[in-house]
Amino acid sequence: MKNILCEGTTICYAEQGKGEPIILLHGFCGSSSYWDEVVPLLSQSYRCIVPDLRGHGRSDAPLGAYTIDQMANDVLKLQEQLDIPQAAWFGHSLGGYLTLSAVQRYAERLTAFGLIHSTAYADTEEGKEKRNKAVSTIQTEGITSFVDGLVPGLFAPDHVDSMPGQLLKAKEIGYKTPPQGAVGTSLAMRERPDRLDVLSASALPALLVAGEQDHAVPPARTFTTDRPGVTQVTIPKVGHMSLFEAPELLADAILSFLEHNLKR
């Protein structure tokens, strides 16, 4: 892992492959390791840059609430320090929220983008209450207990039993999330704005990927626009974690999208 300093916060990242740059952003209580099965497939054709987001993995986890814009700025700073004028961003879940923040504020820095099991909607009132409950659980019971409760619900029901190795890996990545990082990020997600108009009005090519059995972000909350330039892909028999449940199908979707939308 390499690292950069962003406004006093160290952001760690991995890099693999050559070609047009793509930035891969992980979900909540994840890390760059979420993409371990996907990067080898993408890096044969593209330069993959995979950061640990603020509050996650090996990156710093400052105390206090974060914002989605702040977390996106870390990634933009990384892109700048790597001297990459433009890149395609693909964000899983939380990573998708960061991606939309960048699309809204710095569209000229992106060539295309993808939301992977993510949504442009803001949290509902019920969703905000779940964020509050997450903060309470992390603070009172610890990150291990929280992750043990979180991860199984992210997989398709059948995969909870049939993919014990993938489930365990996702949990072990989650256990390494600093508690204050999980808390700060929960608060960022709770306060994020609705960006449906950003997704529907953007002129950038966009890939929307949903899991057929995703209960965390159902397909209807991902497929909110069919404007020109949008590609919609449903991955069958997976939940919220196609990176673990069907990495080849996810990689195929990303590669096909890039092949059709990036000028090589």
Side-chain angles (χ1 to χ4, degrees):
M1 297 284 284
K2 305 172 185 177
N3 63 75
I4 65 156
L5 197 62
C6 183
E7 296 181 356
T9 299
T10 297
I11 301 297
C12 294
Y13 68 98
E15 189 173 352
Q16 186 174 328
K18 296 181 179 179
E20 292 292 323
I22 61 175
I23 296 176
L24 305 171
L25 306 177
H26 62 77
F28 178 53
C29 285
S31 76
S32 55
S33 296
Y34 260 32
W35 294 94
D36 279 356
E37 302 301 316
V38 181
V39 166
L41 304 172
L42 301 181
S43 62
Q44 298 175 37
S45 304
Y46 296 93
R47 178 186 178 189
C48 298
I49 296 136
V50 198
D52 287 349
L53 301 178
R54 173 185 294 253
H56 293 76
R58 298 183 186 180
S59 291
D60 283 351
L63 291 169
Y66 308 158
T67 70
I68 294 299
D69 286 356
Q70 179 186 45
M71 297 177 77
N73 288 347
D74 293 338
V75 183
L76 288 159
K77 185 68 173 179
L78 169 62
Q79 182 176 326
E80 179 184 319
Q81 289 205 17
L82 291 175
D83 195 25
I84 297 172
Q86 292 182 306
W89 287 35
F90 296 90
H92 171 242
S93 197
L94 161 67
Y97 308 151
L98 274 61
T99 298
L100 285 173
S101 169
V103 171
Q104 181 175 29
R105 298 178 300 127
Y106 297 100
E108 70 279 2
R109 303 290 302 280
L110 281 69
T111 53
F113 68 95
L115 305 184
I116 314 298
H117 309 297
S118 192
T119 181
Y121 281 108
D123 268 359
T124 62
E125 288 306 312
E126 179 185 4
K128 289 181 179 181
E129 187 52 42
K130 287 183 178 179
R131 306 293 186 198
N132 293 336
K133 186 177 179 182
V135 169
S136 177
T137 300
I138 294 162
Q139 291 176 335
T140 59
E141 299 178 23
I143 193 69
T144 298
S145 177
F146 174 72
V147 168
D148 281 342
L150 172 71
V151 169
L154 301 180
F155 282 72
D158 288 348
H159 291 163
V160 174
D161 294 323
S162 66
M163 296 184 170
Q166 289 91 328
L167 196 77
L168 179 60
K169 179 174 180 178
K171 284 185 176 182
E172 289 179 337
I173 292 169
Y175 296 154
K176 295 176 182 176
T177 308
Q180 72 272 21
V183 167
T185 304
S186 293
L187 298 174
M189 293 189 292
R190 186 188 70 187
E191 299 303 319
R192 75 182 189 278
D194 182 294
R195 286 192 162 108
L196 289 169
D197 58 336
V198 176
L199 177 58
S200 62
S202 174
L204 291 167
L207 172 66
L208 306 178
V209 175
E212 183 182 39
Q213 299 181 37
D214 188 344
H215 299 298
V217 181
R221 289 183 66 81
T222 298
F223 300 144
T224 55
T225 180
D226 57 1
R227 67 162 172 83
V230 166
T231 301
Q232 299 182 0
V233 176
T234 301
I235 300 182
K237 300 179 181 179
V238 306
H240 194 66
M241 301 288 268
S242 64
L243 305 85
F244 294 85
E245 298 172 271
E248 297 88 354
L249 293 180
L250 176 58
D252 285 347
I254 293 173
L255 288 169
S256 176
F257 168 77
L258 288 170
E259 188 63 33
H260 284 91
N261 289 284
L262 284 195
K263 297 176 181 179
R264 302 292 296 275

